[in-house]
């Protein structure tokens, strides 16, 4: 049992909690878990005045943020809501959020939404620490999409030049996570999840097996969720699959390594304003096909296992069946930019995979 002394696990079907590692104090999951989980996490983490960080659409078009505000107000821990985080977390939004965070005297952030508000919250806390020189303050993440940004210690945001950049520190990983499927009911169906750890370097075998299980669940439950968007139990299973696809990984060792599909998504998304879920739908299937050709023999064995788990449902077919097919022309990405995008993704035109990545991107245009 060595190494499990600080592990806590409570579960009943699709509701429960789990705590592991010094940074992450708890993952609480289950439909309706917000009301009980948020007070518990505030007590465990120690926040007394919280700023909610979210996006404009979620704030104005749903009651999700209002529900989080109500829980905080009951505990007299509500410091305000900042709802100006746009897609890909522009740095201007982060600086605005930092000012609000400081002005209201908040000591914790509650992020609500997808990868953009969760990463923006990490960046706000990063810049706050850089400014004060003190300890990193904490975030509790309440995701409403399947981005899995809540399980990483890196924050991706868009700088003034329109490029995606990354800041990272193990202390930036959210201290608490709440997976309440009820809060996902307003999430647009086109948001989809990628599971890139299957070809990610340095990921140990047990976690790759978790990825297999996550992938199988995604292929089973994403179509079910599309067919019945109000099925909360299906959405809860998808949130748990998102968790399984990326965590637990030691953040200082595994962050950002070798994720070609993810890197291409960053280069395309920030520059051409394409949602990250859509870039994953565009690039993941051809990336897996490329890795099947150029990966090490060990990684090829893992990829063959993917085919076993997916049976006759390749990634491209899932994207098509979910109605998420698109191409780079639809998003007005000039074909003449392909060499530059490929170079940014692999680091240099001298990289041996550069010609193949160029070919991959060219395949994302209509024939």
């Amino acid at each position: 049992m060595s190494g499990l002394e600080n592990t806590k696990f409570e579960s009943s079907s699709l509701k429960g909690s789990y705590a592991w590692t010094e940074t992450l104090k708890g993952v609480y999951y289950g439909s309706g878990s917000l009301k009980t989980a948020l007070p518990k996490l505030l007590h465990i983490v120690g926040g007394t005045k919280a700023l909610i960080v979210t996006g404009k659409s979620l704030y104005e078009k749903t009651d999700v943020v209002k529900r989080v505000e109500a829980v905080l107000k009951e505990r007299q821990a509500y410091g305000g809501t900042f709802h100006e985080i746009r897609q890909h977390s522009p740095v201007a939004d982060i600086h605005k959020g930092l000012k609000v965070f400081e002005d209201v005297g908040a000591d914790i952030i509650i992020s609500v939404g997808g990868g953009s508000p969760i990463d923006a919250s990490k960046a706000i806390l990063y810049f706050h620490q850089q400014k004060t020189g003190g300890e990193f303050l904490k975030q509790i993440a309440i995701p409403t999409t399947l981005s899995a940004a809540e399980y990483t210690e890196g924050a991706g945001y868009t700088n003034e030049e329109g490029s995606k950049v990354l800041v990272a520190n193990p202390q930036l990983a959210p201290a608490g996570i709440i997976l309440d499927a009820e809060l996902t009911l307003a999430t647009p169906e086109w948001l989809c999840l990628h599971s890139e750890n299957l070809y990610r370097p340095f990921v140990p075998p047990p976690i790759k097996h978790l990825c297999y299980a996550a992938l199988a669940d995604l292929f089973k439950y994403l179509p079910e969720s599309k067919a019945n968007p109000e099925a909360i139990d299906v959405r809860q299973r998808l949130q748990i699959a998102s968790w399984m696809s990326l965590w637990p990984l030691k953040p200082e060792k595994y962050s950002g390594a070798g994720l070609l599909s993810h890197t291409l998504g960053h280069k395309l998304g920030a520059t051409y304003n394409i949602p990250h879920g859509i870039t994953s739908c565009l690039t993941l299937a051809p990336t897996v096909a490329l890795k099947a050709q150029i990966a090490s023999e060990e990684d090829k064995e893992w990829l063959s296992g993917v085919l076993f788990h997916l049976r006759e449902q390749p990634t491209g077919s899932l994207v098509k069946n979910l109605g998420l097919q698109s191409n780079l022309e639809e998003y007005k990405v000039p074909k003449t930019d392909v060499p530059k995008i490929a170079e940014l993704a692999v680091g240099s035109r001298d990289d041996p995979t550069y010609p193949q990545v160029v070919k991959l991107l060219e395949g994302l245009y209509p024939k």
Side-chain angles (χ1 to χ4, degrees):
M1 295 296 290
S2 177
L4 296 180
E5 296 88 351
N6 297 320
T7 299
K8 179 183 178 183
F9 180 67
E10 301 172 1
S11 179
S12 174
S13 185
L14 295 179
K15 183 171 288 191
S17 65
Y18 182 89
W20 184 77
T21 79
E22 182 179 349
T23 304
L24 179 62
K25 302 303 182 184
V27 180
Y28 288 80
Y29 56 96
S31 176
S33 58
L34 171 68
K35 288 185 178 181
T36 56
L38 185 52
K40 285 180 182 178
L41 283 170
L42 284 171
H43 175 72
I44 293 168
V45 175
T48 59
K49 181 177 279 190
L51 176 70
I52 297 173
V53 174
T54 189
K56 185 176 181 180
S57 179
L58 193 66
Y59 179 76
E60 293 183 348
K61 298 180 180 179
T62 78
D63 70 343
V64 170
V65 178
K66 298 297 182 187
R67 292 166 69 176
V68 179
E69 289 176 348
V71 176
L72 292 174
K73 288 174 181 177
E74 286 177 6
R75 288 185 57 84
Q76 298 181 331
Y78 178 65
T81 298
F82 178 73
H83 55 84
E84 297 181 35
I85 298 299
R86 291 169 289 170
Q87 187 171 269
H88 300 298
S89 309
V91 70
D93 298 357
I94 290 166
H95 288 314
K96 286 182 185 177
L98 175 59
K99 185 177 187 307
V100 174
F101 182 76
E102 294 172 341
D103 287 348
V104 303
D107 58 4
I108 191 169
I109 289 178
I110 313 296
S111 60
V112 184
S116 292
I118 293 171
D119 272 6
S121 297
K122 295 177 199 172
I124 289 170
L125 296 175
Y126 175 85
F127 288 126
H128 179 267
Q129 190 278 333
Q130 293 291 296
K131 184 176 179 180
T132 64
E135 295 183 358
F136 284 95
L137 298 182
K138 301 301 183 183
Q139 172 187 180
I140 295 172
I142 305 177
T144 60
T145 74
L146 303 177
S147 79
E150 58 272 17
Y151 304 105
T152 73
E153 53 96 6
Y157 64 90
T158 307
N159 65 15
E160 292 88 347
E161 289 75 39
S163 299
K164 199 85 170 196
V165 295
L166 177 76
V167 294
N169 186 289
Q171 294 300 313
L172 289 178
I177 300 167
I178 300 172
L179 305 177
D180 185 339
E182 286 185 11
L183 305 181
T184 72
L185 290 173
T187 301
E189 68 174 24
W190 52 262
L191 291 177
C192 68
L193 175 82
H194 49 286
S195 188
E196 294 158 330
N197 281 335
L198 289 165
Y199 65 81
R200 191 177 194 175
F202 313 120
V203 174
I207 293 175
K208 290 201 175 187
H209 282 292
L210 278 176
C211 292
Y212 282 146
L215 203 58
D217 280 355
L218 289 169
F219 272 72
K220 174 178 173 60
Y221 295 115
L222 278 171
E224 288 188 18
S225 184
K226 180 177 174 64
N228 186 3
E230 303 300 317
I232 293 178
D233 60 329
V234 174
R235 287 174 176 264
Q236 195 66 64
R237 291 181 187 279
L238 285 169
Q239 284 196 311
I240 293 171
S242 171
W243 177 13
M244 291 164 59
S245 76
L246 192 60
W247 189 84
L249 291 176
K250 290 278 188 182
E252 66 273 15
K253 183 172 182 181
Y254 301 118
S255 270
L259 302 179
L260 177 58
S261 174
H262 192 72
T263 303
L264 286 171
H266 277 177
K267 304 310 175 188
L268 289 165
T271 304
Y272 305 101
N273 200 33
I274 308 173
H276 191 72
I278 294 298
T279 64
S280 294
C281 291
L282 278 164
T283 63
L284 186 55
T287 298
V288 171
L290 175 59
K291 290 290 182 179
Q293 299 174 33
I294 66 174
S296 67
E297 289 304 313
E298 181 181 356
D299 284 341
K300 286 179 180 179
E301 289 182 18
W302 283 105
L303 286 167
S304 68
V306 175
L307 298 177
F308 172 79
H309 277 263
L310 300 188
R311 305 298 195 273
E312 297 178 358
Q313 298 184 81
T315 308
S317 294
L318 176 64
V319 171
K320 183 178 180 180
N321 292 338
L322 292 174
L324 299 172
Q325 249 184 339
S326 58
N327 59 68
L328 293 182
E329 188 176 273
E330 289 180 29
Y331 289 94
K332 298 179 173 54
V333 180
K335 201 166 186 178
T336 53
D337 287 1
V338 161
K340 177 181 69 176
I341 297 166
E343 181 180 2
L344 289 171
V346 301
S348 168
R349 297 196 182 203
D350 295 328
D351 187 285
T353 65
Y354 170 76
Q356 292 155 306
V357 175
V358 169
K359 186 176 180 181
L360 183 157
L361 289 166
E362 289 175 342
L364 301 181
Y365 289 87
K367 298 293 189 289

